[in-house]
Amino acid sequence: MKILVCISSVPDTTSKISFTDGDTKLNKAGVTYIIGPYDDYALARAVELKEQLGATITVLNVGGADAEPQIRKALAIGADDAIRVDIEPTDSFFVAEQIAAVAKEGNYDLILMGRETSDYNSGVVHGIVGELLGIPSFSPVMQLDVTGNEASMTREIEGGKEKLTAPLPLVLGCQEPIAEWKIPNMRGIMTARTKPLKVIPAAGLALTNTEKYSLPAPKGACKMIPAEEAEKLIELLKTEAKVL
């Protein structure tokens, strides 16, 4: 069984974000990067499947050389080898094209990734990859088991959960509690240094260009309304917050 785990390299959620080059690029100075949290869940479940079924795991990242520490961490956690598409991930469709191109060549049984990245939060890459490959895709998957050539899953839907089965190959977007995040041990860190990391050029060209980034508006001051003035609170929600 061959598993492809797609990981993103994203700013740590505690990082202070700013922009440069006329607000067209993220200012990476002083920013700590991590594996996307949802991608970490996908990787953790892949490692469990490897232990249970004897699968092999290839990690895939679309990004520059500065993503290699996160790739090496994934190798330390339990992936067997890695591929980096040497180009910045500019938009969801472009990233999905790169994943699909690698997946077609590698003939993987299972393609796992997070339900979304924590930087752009598009949540559509898995669906596009499935469409490009002509195979089913499901998200967000909270539980996954594989028996033979069939996967059984539980995914979150509005108002509840859905249990379903589907034949391999599949593309899945993962979230907690599919597995617990794994921390690499010293042996894993040492062996990760010698595991194969293949760098390949991108397939095709990006279709979009970022004109400008902007930060969210700063939070306003908090108004305290006495409990006995409920009518005033309702009026402010209508006129200022405009949520009623």
Side-chain angles (χ1 to χ4, degrees), residues 13 25 33 50 52 76 86 90 103 119 122 128 134 151 157 168 192 194 197 216 227 230 242:
T13 52
K25 293 181 180 179
Y33 280 80
K50 173 184 175 179
Q52 295 169 11
D86 191 24
T90 54
D119 48 5
S122 73
I128 300 173
I157 59 174
L168 303 179
T194 58
L197 169 52
K242 301 185 186 303

Side-chain angles (χ1 to χ4, degrees), residues 179-196:
E180 292 186 4
W181 287 342
K182 298 188 182 298
I183 299 173
N185 55 34
M186 184 56 65
R187 181 180 179 184
I189 294 171
M190 296 299 291
T191 58
R193 298 177 181 177
T194 58
K195 288 182 179 179

